[in-house]
Amino acid sequence: MKFETKVIHGGTQEDPYTGAITTPIYQTSTYHQQTLGGHAKYEYTRGENPTRFALESVMAAIENGTDGFAFSSGMAAIHATMSLLKAGDHIVMANDVYGGTFRLVNRILTDLGITFTAVDTADSVALQEAIKPTTKMVYLESPSNPLMHVTDIAEAARIAHDSGAIAVVDNTFASPYNQNPLDLGADVVIHSGTKYLGGHADVLSGFVIVKDAELAERIKFIQMSIGAVLSPQDSYLVQRSIKTLALRVQRHNENAMALAEFLNNHPKVAKVYFPGLPGTPDYEIARRQMRGFGGMMSIELQPGLDVKQFVENLDVFLLAESLGGVESLIEVPAIMTHASIPRDIRLANGIKDELVRISVGIEDIDDLIADMTKGLDAL
Ligand SMILES: Cc1ncc(COP(=O)(O)O)c(C=O)c1O
């Protein structure tokens, strides 16, 4: 099946008990067992729930994996994946990962005896040099957050595998419509489903998708043991949203491309970070490994212009954290999404205080450009 068909018919979509086309919300914590110790398919919702299973199977289908696992947030999915590691293990991690991911590794995993090295994973020499005998995981985001840096996923996976590590890709920014890391050699794909998958800024969720039976068994065990599973209600909401994922992301891609070109030619904008603009190594790799360039970009205004005045004066672009919803959002990473990263590390990674991140929604592009024009002209 093609992607547009898989979001609607992939996985287990029809209810086996009633034939209902829309997956019912099985709002139950437990299930009546017919025999003592009989090991029925459904015993307890932390382990098994039909609504969650339906969502997990469509996620496996659209990421070209064998198994998907749904969690209560993106961070819960990342934590479950990191729980594959044990004391003494080492992670090579992209140096501009989501701030919450950095915090989890830097503040929680290090206390458990897991070490890490943060590098520019787009630089394959630096990535190779960061590998140690104890490296068990190479963890990256592409495009990255907030600088939209693109890593050659096939190359990073090859470097990981050559040293006996697994390659994990947080595919939140691209969405499965634009990129499928498992096809490029990654072992684990992660999503904050709170973003494009949910798509309407109304539900938190997270996903882990794998293509290997042993990894699937380990993640399933971790999911059930730690217990941060997605609820039946939220599973229903995300599955409903995924049915329109292809349509939504097509529009996100188109709007972002048009907005990036507009901003790139605007005299008050010093720099646009968007993988769809030709002339950068990011563009060349993105063209090879992505089907579309996504809806995320960051910009720097010309020196001296007031970022606070700019973001507060827009009407259509709402000042808010998060991304991937139908509505366009704007934020300042240094003060909002990336405030948990120490300033010296953030600056060393190129995330300046004045950087502005934009999640381009699916509104009419004329209204988006008019709002930006108004905001920039006022500066
Ligand atoms: C790339 C990326 N990964 C993971 C997360 C964490 O997801 P959640 O907020 O659903 O826990 C975020 C949140 O912004 C993100 O941007």
Side-chain angles (χ1 to χ4, degrees):
M1 282 185 207
K2 296 269 174 42
F3 192 91
E4 286 78 353
T5 314
K6 277 199 279 192
V7 288
I8 295 165
H9 297 289
T12 326
Q13 295 279 345
E14 190 182 289
D15 177 44
Y17 308 108
T18 63
I21 284 174
T22 303
T23 308
I25 303 170
Y26 282 92
Q27 190 67 41
T28 185
S29 59
T30 192
Y31 307 83
H32 180 200
Q33 307 297 303
Q34 299 303 319
T35 58
L36 181 62
H39 298 294
K41 180 167 181 204
Y42 297 102
E43 294 179 348
Y44 189 62
T45 277
R46 176 157 34 76
E48 313 87 16
N49 179 276
T51 316
R52 197 179 80 227
F53 275 171
L55 171 64
E56 290 175 333
S57 67
V58 76
M59 278 307 300
I62 64 176
E63 275 294 9
N64 299 333
T66 53
D67 296 85
F69 301 93
F71 295 85
S72 53
S73 70
M75 286 318 303
I78 295 168
H79 180 239
T81 303
M82 301 281 182
S83 301
L84 292 166
L85 302 169
K86 59 180 186 331
D89 289 348
H90 174 252
I91 311 172
V92 175
M93 183 171 73
N95 60 8
D96 57 354
V97 287
Y98 168 60
T101 305
F102 181 83
R103 181 174 53 200
L104 170 69
V105 175
N106 188 37
R107 302 272 303 275
I108 296 193
L109 297 193
T110 49
D111 281 353
L112 302 176
I114 294 164
T115 56
F116 75 99
T117 306
V119 291
D120 176 2
T121 49
D123 177 348
S124 55
V125 176
L127 176 57
Q128 181 73 63
E129 281 173 359
I131 301 269
K132 298 180 181 182
T134 51
T135 304
K136 292 288 160 42
M137 182 181 287
V138 171
Y139 184 99
L140 61 97
E141 294 175 15
S142 185
S144 71
N145 177 12
L147 294 176
M148 311 304 145
H149 228 26
V150 177
T151 292
D152 182 334
I153 294 174
E155 175 69 356
R158 184 192 62 71
I159 292 171
H161 294 158
D162 282 356
S163 60
I166 59 168
V168 179
V169 178
D170 180 335
N171 202 28
T172 300
F173 268 41
S175 89
Y177 179 78
N178 284 329
Q179 176 171 278
N180 293 125
L182 296 180
D183 291 349
L184 299 165
D187 304 282
V188 180
V189 172
I190 289 174
H191 281 280
S192 166
T194 314
K195 319 299 187 215
Y196 288 102
L197 299 167
H200 297 75
D202 56 4
V203 59
L204 290 182
S205 62
F207 295 93
V208 175
I209 304 102
V210 298
K211 59 180 180 185
D212 169 86
E214 195 214 321
L215 266 179
E217 204 171 305
R218 290 176 68 196
I219 296 284
K220 169 90 197 145
F221 178 77
I222 291 167
Q223 182 193 39
M224 192 262 296
S225 304
I226 296 181
V229 292
L230 194 63
S231 73
Q233 293 270 355
D234 288 346
S235 297
Y236 166 79
L237 275 176
V238 180
Q239 192 188 3
R240 185 182 202 272
S241 294
I242 284 176
K243 292 177 188 180
T244 57
L245 181 67
L247 284 174
R248 286 186 284 110
V249 178
Q250 278 162 22
R251 176 65 85 92
H252 285 293
N253 288 347
E254 286 165 19
N255 278 357
M257 192 70 228
L259 189 71
E261 282 170 350
F262 167 79
L263 293 170
N264 204 33
N265 291 318
H266 198 287
K268 290 192 175 161
V269 177
K271 192 165 167 73
V272 177
Y273 297 87
F274 179 65
L277 291 176
T280 64
D282 289 332
Y283 171 75
E284 294 305 327
I285 302 167
R287 233 167 38 125
R288 279 206 312 272
Q289 72 184 16
M290 299 178 77
R291 287 184 287 272
F293 298 110
M296 295 299 299
M297 71 184 69
S298 292
I299 62 171
E300 281 164 18
L301 300 180
Q302 293 292 1
L305 294 181
D306 186 350
V307 167
K308 179 171 156 58
Q309 185 194 355
F310 171 57
V311 297
E312 288 179 355
N313 271 353
L314 299 170
D315 294 324
V316 182
F317 288 84
L318 305 175
L319 179 61
E321 298 201 1
S322 202
L323 60 116
V326 291
E327 56 287 289
S328 291
L329 303 180
I330 196 157
E331 65 111 7
V332 178
I335 297 174
M336 299 169 73
T337 50
H338 290 61
S340 58
I341 301 178
R343 186 164 184 267
D344 54 331
I345 298 180
R346 182 167 51 69
L347 290 178
N349 292 340
I351 306 171
K352 298 183 184 162
D353 290 339
E354 313 76 45
L355 189 78
V356 174
R357 192 187 78 178
I358 303 169
S359 172
V360 186
I362 65 169
E363 302 94 336
D364 190 291
I365 186 61
D366 293 343
D367 291 327
L368 297 181
I369 289 181
D371 199 38
M372 278 288 164
T373 305
K374 188 192 75 144
L376 290 167
D377 284 354
L379 297 175

